[in-house]
Amino acid sequence: MSFTSLGLSEPILKAVAEEGYETPSPVQAKAIPAVLEGRDVMAAAQTGTGKTAGFTLPILERLSHGAPAKPNQVRALILTPTRELAAQVGESVRTYGKHIRLSSTIVFGGVKINPQMMRLRRGADILVATPGRLLDLANQNAVKFDQLEILVLDEADRMLDMGFIHDIRRIIQRLPKVRQNLLFSATFSDDIRKLAKGIINNDPIEFSVTPRNTTATTVTQWICPVDKRQKALVLQQLIEENNWHQVLVFMRTKHGANKLASFLETKNIKAAAIHGNKSQGARTKALADFKAGAVQVLVATDIAARGLDIDQLPQVVNFELPNVPEDYVHRIGRTGRAGATGQAVSLVSADEFKQLSDIENLIHKLLERRFVDGFEPVHDLPASRLNARHRPEPRPKKPHSEHRDGQRSGEAARGHKPAGSKPAGTGRPTGARNKPRRGGPASSGNRTGDARPAPKSR
C-alpha cells in the first residue's frame, strides 16, 4: 500500500513525498480512509506509530474543500496534553499542509496570551491547543466554534492522567453537536471509554495498531545494577567510553534533573534540563539545541515522556525508574522509532527492585543485566522473576496538584508553579559486562513489539 492509494489529493501527497515517505504506517492506513469518509474514530496508538500524520493528513484533505474560517472561528480543533506535543502537532500541520491554502495556529499556557488572541482574530482552519489555555481564550471570546467540523483528542489517556477531564467536558459543551470526532489514546481504559461516550457519535471505527504495553523490537533494553550514589559517575563513563552524542535521560524530579545536568556540565558534557518549572522559552531552546547537536544530554522529567519526536534518537537512559511502570514504555518509546535502532539503559539501585519487577511484569520480559567495571554495587539487586498469574490492571494515576500544561493563566497568576552519533546496536558498551551476581543468574529477555516507518512529525 502507498499513500497514493488512500484518497489524498496531489498537494498533500507532494508534501508527504518531500518528507521522503511512500508507505503509510498501520495506524495511517486505517485512520486516513476512515477520517476521509467522515467517520468518528477511536484508535489505540502509542507514540512512535505515526498517529499524528494519521489524523493531520485527512483533516487537511477534508478542510481543503470547504470555506475558510471566519474571524475568531476554527474549523478543526486538536487538543493535546502538553505544550511540546501541541508544538509538534502544529509543525506536522504546517509540514503537510504547505501546498494548500489553510491557516493554522497553536495556543498553550506558559506564554503571553495576547499574541495568541491577535492570531485568532483572523480565524484558523486548524487550531492546536492545550485545554486550559483554550478555555481562557474561549472565556474571553477570542475563539468561537460555530464553524467547527472536526474535534481531535490526542493522547486522551495522558490528558486524563494530568487531570484535564473537567476542562475537556467544559470545552465539549461549547462545541456544535454535529461534528466529526477523533480520539487517539495509548490504551482504551474504562475511564477513556467513559469519556468517549460523551464525545464519540454512534458506530465509530475502533482499532488498535500495537499490543498494549509492548516495546519496539528495534530497541535494545538492558539494566545496569549500581548503587544510587554511583549513578552519575556510571552515566558519565557510559557516555564517554561509548561516545554517545545524543542521550535523553529521565529523572523523577525537577530538582534531580537540574542537579544531574549541572554535574554533567562540570565533566565537560554539554547538558540541559527540561521540566515543568522551566519557562516555555527555555524548554523550547533546550529541545532545539538537543535536536541540533549543540546539547549532548537532555535531562528530562516525565513531562517529556510523550510527544517528543527526535529523529534517530539513539540512546535513552532511565537514571531513575518511574514509579508507574507504564511510564517506562512511554519513556523508552523516544528511541527505536520509524524503524531506526536504539538503546534503552536503566540504572537500577537495590531500592528500585519493586519498580523493576513491576516493569518486567508489565512488558512480560526479564531485562538483561550488565555491570560496569569498577562500579559493581555494594547492595545487590535481587534476581527478578515474572509473575505466573495475571497482573491486575493498574489504577489510574491521580492528577498532579501542581501547574499542568494547558492550565489557565489566571491560575498561574495566583501563584501555581509549573508542573513539573550513530544508532547503537545490540553489542554491549565498552566497560559493561554481563555477570551473574550473588542474588541469582543475570536475567535476560527477547525484544518485543512493533515499529514501522512513519512521518517524522507526530
Side-chain angles (χ1 to χ4, degrees):
M1 177 182 290
S2 66
F3 281 104
T4 57
S5 66
L6 296 180
L8 299 171
S9 61
E10 185 58 35
I12 295 176
L13 290 174
K14 180 180 178 182
V16 172
E18 288 173 351
E19 293 300 303
Y21 299 107
E22 297 178 356
T23 304
S25 70
V27 67
Q28 293 160 5
K30 293 181 179 181
I32 290 174
V35 177
L36 290 177
E37 291 173 7
R39 299 284 299 277
D40 281 14
V41 171
M42 288 182 62
Q46 296 179 355
T47 55
T49 59
K51 64 180 174 62
T52 302
F55 61 77
T56 56
L57 292 175
I59 286 175
L60 288 166
E61 181 67 39
R62 295 204 67 193
L63 296 184
S64 66
H65 302 293
K70 297 177 181 178
N72 295 106
Q73 297 285 348
V74 297
R75 299 173 61 202
L77 172 63
I78 303 173
L79 289 177
T80 71
T82 66
R83 308 166 191 176
E84 283 76 18
L85 184 55
Q88 290 176 30
V89 171
E91 180 184 355
S92 180
V93 170
R94 289 191 297 271
T95 297
Y96 298 114
K98 60 186 175 183
H99 299 306
I100 56 179
R101 296 177 63 84
L102 288 176
S103 60
S104 65
T105 193
I106 311 166
V107 298
F108 46 70
V111 296
K112 293 181 179 180
I113 196 171
N114 285 341
Q116 297 175 353
M117 296 175 71
M118 295 294 291
R119 292 199 301 272
L120 285 169
R121 285 184 182 178
R122 300 188 295 269
D125 292 304
I126 301 175
L127 175 64
V128 186
T130 52
R133 176 51 60 93
L134 181 66
L135 278 176
D136 254 359
L137 291 162
N139 289 335
Q140 299 183 54
N141 291 319
V143 59
K144 300 177 181 178
F145 305 103
D146 304 284
Q147 276 189 278
L148 189 80
E149 303 172 38
I150 304 170
L151 168 67
V152 181
L153 294 186
D154 192 16
E155 298 203 356
D157 54 331
R158 182 65 165 168
M159 284 197 271
L160 293 189
D161 287 346
M162 296 176 69
F164 287 142
I165 181 63
H166 299 299
D167 285 351
I168 292 172
R169 286 174 176 160
R170 292 186 187 104
I171 291 168
I172 297 300
Q173 291 175 354
R174 295 173 176 265
L175 306 183
K177 300 295 182 185
V178 179
R179 61 178 188 270
Q180 183 178 14
N181 303 285
L182 314 176
L183 186 149
F184 289 80
S185 176
T187 62
F188 284 155
S189 64
D190 291 340
D191 288 335
I192 290 295
R193 293 192 178 279
K194 184 178 178 181
L195 171 65
K197 283 184 179 180
I199 299 174
I200 302 294
N201 295 322
N202 293 330
D203 192 31
I205 290 179
E206 180 177 332
F207 60 85
S208 176
V209 294
T210 51
R212 182 178 180 181
N213 297 322
T214 59
T215 52
T217 57
T218 52
V219 179
T220 301
Q221 303 174 63
W222 57 278
I223 65 173
C224 174
V226 61
D227 290 329
K228 183 179 295 186
R229 293 186 178 182
Q230 299 295 314
K231 284 187 177 185
L233 292 173
V234 167
L235 177 62
Q236 176 193 354
Q237 180 161 315
L238 289 173
I239 292 171
E240 292 176 344
E241 291 195 359
N242 296 287
N243 200 26
W244 288 351
H245 292 295
Q246 194 178 44
V247 190
L248 178 60
V249 180
F250 281 104
M251 304 283 293
R252 282 201 294 261
T253 67
K254 295 171 257 190
H255 173 72
N258 288 335
K259 186 176 179 181
L260 179 60
S262 297
F263 167 80
L264 293 173
E265 286 281 346
T266 66
K267 303 300 180 180
N268 295 318
I269 298 174
K270 189 64 178 177
I274 180 171
H275 52 68
N277 275 3
K278 295 284 186 178
S279 69
Q280 184 59 38
R283 288 160 63 172
T284 301
K285 184 179 186 301
L287 181 58
D289 288 346
F290 183 61
K291 288 183 176 183
V295 165
Q296 186 176 354
V297 181
L298 186 65
V299 187
T301 56
D302 281 307
I303 192 171
R306 298 196 191 188
L308 287 186
D309 185 16
I310 303 164
D311 293 343
Q312 308 297 313
L313 175 64
Q315 314 289 344
V316 168
V317 175
N318 291 300
F319 192 90
E320 299 167 314
L321 291 182
N323 290 321
V324 179
E326 286 83 0
D327 285 345
Y328 172 83
V329 177
H330 297 308
R331 285 181 177 188
I332 72 169
R334 303 305 91 218
T335 187
R337 306 179 74 168
T341 57
Q343 185 171 204
V345 182
S346 298
L347 309 182
V348 185
S349 55
D351 63 348
E352 294 177 295
F353 177 71
K354 182 182 183 303
Q355 289 97 319
L356 173 63
S357 181
D358 288 345
I359 288 168
E360 290 179 323
N361 279 287
L362 179 74
I363 64 176
H364 306 299
K365 65 180 288 187
L366 297 177
L367 297 174
E368 179 186 358
R369 300 185 180 202
R370 304 179 188 175
F371 295 82
V372 174
D373 290 327
F375 292 97
E376 293 82 357
V378 174
H379 305 285
D380 278 346
L381 184 66
S384 301
R385 69 166 73 181
L386 297 181
N387 292 339
R389 63 177 183 270
H390 175 70
R391 183 174 179 271
E393 290 292 319
R395 294 182 179 180
K397 292 182 288 184
K398 293 182 178 179
H400 297 294
S401 58
E402 297 180 85
H403 176 87
R404 308 178 304 274
D405 280 318
Q407 187 176 38
R408 291 182 291 284
S409 57
E411 293 175 340
R414 289 194 292 272
H416 289 269
K417 293 182 179 180
S421 146
K422 182 177 180 181
T426 59
R428 67 187 181 190
T430 304
R433 56 193 173 88
N434 300 314
K435 172 185 172 185
R437 297 298 291 167
R438 292 192 296 273
S443 55
S444 62
N446 297 321
R447 292 170 286 172
T448 61
D450 176 59
R452 289 284 303 276
K456 293 178 285 188
S457 296
R458 289 181 286 274

